């Protein structure tokens, strides 16, 4: 009898989209080592996710760990200059019926994962496990242990008990739209099209990538301490990216959307490997202002917006029983305006001790995340040590690849130089 796993609504919402990423160069060993380790992790049980066959049409996913080996392949070695092109092509070859694809290319490892299986934590821990050169590399800490597959109720209750005075306002704001306020953006729903002349359009996802110099996150903290105490490195880096885009004459919408990790609302002892992130859009926000970005993010977290947004998303799923994250628009504006979306994984401590074979600024951790709306550009960031790795996913039949590449390279080269003339404490 086939063992099954009951997926959560947040898993189902993302079960028709993909996480496609690359990490390296590192010592991943040969193909046999990659295969044996992935099989070992997948076989620990459904909670490890990799052995599941995720389906957008049903929350009952089959546990078939041995099938994970069907799509682990090896190809020719690559150099870093080829990564963006290869990552784009790898993304285009995704197959909806295949939960996990892994491709080894010399020192680089590509991963294509059904997003229903997990968010950032699963790929990060998988890469850390595979890039450990030790013969007795341990499985991720959560493998084979108790993992919460349905954490939303626990997080919502914990936040409400700790913030009783904010519950009413949070509920009211989620059901009654306010002007100049954040909106529930589920990274899973199409955004409203611009009210401009449009043309027929089909998706053509692409990605450009860049890494900051070593020491960048430390430099941002020093700038933050002098100019904007209390702000996160993430909010400062997001503003630097937006500023670089504006300086490269890319038309920016006065808005931004951010993906929030809802694990912050859970007890520290709770482990969630599946999806537990939610998106919030801010329709009247200057994305080039570190102060505005910081105020928006910190205010949303303090008022429980991410967990409220996740709750609303699950309610919508239960009502419509439909995964919508892979639904694309069919028209694009003739004169598009970039709508920035940010996903910052933060400092990835799990990968710091990996068996890297290059210096920090010559490493890669890049993601391609095809935006649903033609005007959206998804900025994904990860920090390893003091280097920030930045990817910009977009549609190359809407925005020029060379201009976006130049803008991202400008942002990564010296983010502080872009911000120095800005906010000063009063």
């Amino acid at each position: 009898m086939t063992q099954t796993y009951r997926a959560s609504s947040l898993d189902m919402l993302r079960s028709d989209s993909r996480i496609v990423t690359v990490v390296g160069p590192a010592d991943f060993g040969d193909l046999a080592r990659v295969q044996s380790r992935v099989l070992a992790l997948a076989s620990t049980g459904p909670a490890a996710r990799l052995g599941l066959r995720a389906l957008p049409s049903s929350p009952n996913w089959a546990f078939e760990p041995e099938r994970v080996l069907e799509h682990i392949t090896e190809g020719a070695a690559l150099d870093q200059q080829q990564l963006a092109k290869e990552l784009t092509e790898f993304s285009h070859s995704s197959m909806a019926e295949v939960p996990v694809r892994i491709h080894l290319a010399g020192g680089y490892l590509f991963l294509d994962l059904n997003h229903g299986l997990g968010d950032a934590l699963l790929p990060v821990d998988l890469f850390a496990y595979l890039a450990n050169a030790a013969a007795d590399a341990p499985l991720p800490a959560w493998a084979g242990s108790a993992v919460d597959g349905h954490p939303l109720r626990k997080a919502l209750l914990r936040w409400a008990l700790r913030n009783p005075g904010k519950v009413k306002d949070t509920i009211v704001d989620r059901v009654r739209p306010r002007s100049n306020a954040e909106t529930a953006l589920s990274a899973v729903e199409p955004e409203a099209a611009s009210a401009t002349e449009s043309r027929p359009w089909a998706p053509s996802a692409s990605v450009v990538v860049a890494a900051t110099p070593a020491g960048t996150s430390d430099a941002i903290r020093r700038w933050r301490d002098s100019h904007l105490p209390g702000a996160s490195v993430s909010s400062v880096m997001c503003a630097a990216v937006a500023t670089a885009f504006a300086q490269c004459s890319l038309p920016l919408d006065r808005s931004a959307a951010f993906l929030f990790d809802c694990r912050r609302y859970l007890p520290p002892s709770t482990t969630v490997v599946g999806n537990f992130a939610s998106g919030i859009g801010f329709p009247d926000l200057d994305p080039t202002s570190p102060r505005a970005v910081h105020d928006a993010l910190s205010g949303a977290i303090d008022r429980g917006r991410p967990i409220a947004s996740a709750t609303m998303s699950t309610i919508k799923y239960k009502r419509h029983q439909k995964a919508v994250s892979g639904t694309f628009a069919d028209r694009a504006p003739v004169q598009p305006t970039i709508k920035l979306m940010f996903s910052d994984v933060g400092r990835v401590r799990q990968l710091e001790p990996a068996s890297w074979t290059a210096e920090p600024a010559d490493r890669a951790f890049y993601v391609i995340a095809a935006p649903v709306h033609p005007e959206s550009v998804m900025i994904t960031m990860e920090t390893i040590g003091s280097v920030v790795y930045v990817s910009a996913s977009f549609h190359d039949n809407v925005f020029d690849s060379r201009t976006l590449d130049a803008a991202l390279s400008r942002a990564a080269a010296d983010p502080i130089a872009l911000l120095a003339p800005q906010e000063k404490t009063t």
Side-chain angles (χ1 to χ4, degrees):
M1 182 176 178
T2 302
Q3 186 177 355
T4 60
Y5 173 91
R6 181 77 176 181
S8 72
S9 295
L10 288 175
D11 291 338
M12 290 303 299
L13 279 166
R14 291 159 175 80
S15 61
D16 63 353
S17 61
R18 315 292 295 190
I19 296 175
V20 185
T21 183
V22 62
V23 165
D27 181 1
F28 292 105
D30 58 13
L31 181 63
R33 191 182 95 181
V34 173
Q35 290 174 324
S36 65
R37 289 192 179 182
V38 174
L39 180 59
L41 180 55
S43 299
T44 60
R49 318 288 286 184
L50 291 178
L52 293 171
R53 184 153 295 274
L55 301 171
S57 57
S58 171
N60 296 313
W61 295 346
F63 179 55
E64 303 169 332
E66 68 285 347
R67 296 194 63 181
V68 76
L69 297 176
E70 295 176 2
H71 297 280
I72 301 179
T73 59
E74 185 175 20
L78 302 173
D79 60 45
Q80 196 172 37
Q81 288 67 39
Q82 298 172 285
L83 287 183
K85 177 177 178 291
E86 293 296 327
L87 185 59
T88 297
E89 293 181 357
F90 186 64
S91 172
H92 290 176
S93 62
S94 288
M95 296 171 282
E97 67 276 12
V98 177
V100 182
R101 289 192 306 144
I102 294 174
H103 182 71
L104 180 63
Y108 293 99
L109 197 71
F110 292 78
L111 172 67
D112 171 20
L113 182 75
N114 183 305
H115 202 337
L117 296 178
D119 52 28
L121 177 62
L122 180 57
V124 163
D125 279 356
L126 175 62
F127 281 131
Y129 173 47
L130 297 178
N132 186 333
D136 57 348
L139 290 162
W142 42 260
S145 61
V147 173
D148 197 327
H150 302 270
L152 184 55
R153 184 178 301 175
K154 180 186 293 186
L156 189 60
L157 178 61
R158 183 171 185 261
W159 181 83
L161 291 175
R162 294 162 68 98
N163 301 274
K166 300 175 183 178
V167 173
K168 181 179 178 181
D169 288 342
T170 298
I171 293 174
V172 169
D173 287 340
R174 292 275 62 82
V175 299
R176 186 182 65 197
R178 300 184 304 165
S179 61
N180 299 327
E182 67 266 25
T183 60
L185 170 83
S186 174
V188 294
E189 294 179 355
E191 304 166 60
S194 299
T196 60
E197 183 181 356
S198 63
R199 59 178 174 82
W201 175 80
S204 181
S206 188
V207 68
V208 292
V209 302
T212 70
T216 294
S217 63
D218 297 330
I220 290 175
R221 288 187 185 92
R222 291 192 294 270
W223 183 93
R224 180 267 316 274
D225 292 344
S226 298
H227 297 79
L228 194 56
S232 65
V233 171
S234 178
S235 61
V236 175
M237 191 68 196
C238 289
V241 170
T243 300
F245 276 42
Q247 290 182 355
C248 288
S249 300
L250 288 164
L252 285 184
D253 190 61
R254 187 180 172 83
S255 69
F258 300 88
L259 199 64
F260 293 81
D261 187 348
C262 292
R263 292 172 180 83
R264 70 183 74 242
Y265 298 105
L266 288 167
S269 59
T270 305
T271 300
V272 178
V273 180
N275 286 287
F276 204 40
S278 65
I280 298 176
F282 297 83
D284 185 18
L285 174 71
D286 177 5
T288 68
S289 166
R291 186 179 300 277
V293 173
H294 163 65
D295 289 347
L297 297 183
S298 60
I301 291 169
D302 179 63
R303 296 193 301 274
R305 302 302 184 202
I307 200 69
S309 178
T311 302
M312 293 299 293
S313 294
T314 63
I315 291 172
K316 290 179 181 179
Y317 172 75
K318 290 180 184 297
R319 181 183 303 156
H320 301 293
Q321 295 291 305
K322 184 179 180 181
V324 295
S325 36
T327 304
F328 289 86
D330 59 4
R331 298 190 69 83
V334 173
Q335 295 183 320
T337 300
I338 288 178
K339 302 177 188 298
L340 285 173
M341 304 173 69
F342 294 94
S343 175
D344 186 3
V345 177
R347 185 172 176 181
V348 186
R349 297 181 185 275
Q350 301 97 309
L351 282 173
E352 289 178 4
S355 302
W356 299 102
T357 58
E359 293 303 308
D362 295 321
R363 299 170 187 169
F365 187 168
Y366 298 128
V367 177
I368 179 169
V372 170
H373 192 272
E375 290 180 286
S376 294
V377 175
M378 170 63 84
I379 306 297
T380 308
M381 299 185 292
E382 306 86 13
T383 301
I384 303 176
S386 61
V387 174
V388 185
Y389 301 89
V390 193
S391 313
S393 304
F394 61 102
H395 295 283
D396 60 12
N397 54 6
V398 179
F399 298 110
D400 179 65
S401 297
R402 287 174 295 181
T403 305
L404 279 173
D405 188 32
L408 199 68
S409 296
R410 177 188 289 246
D414 192 352
I416 300 303
L418 300 173
L419 300 170
Q422 296 196 40
E423 334 271 339
K424 303 288 184 183
T425 53
T426 57

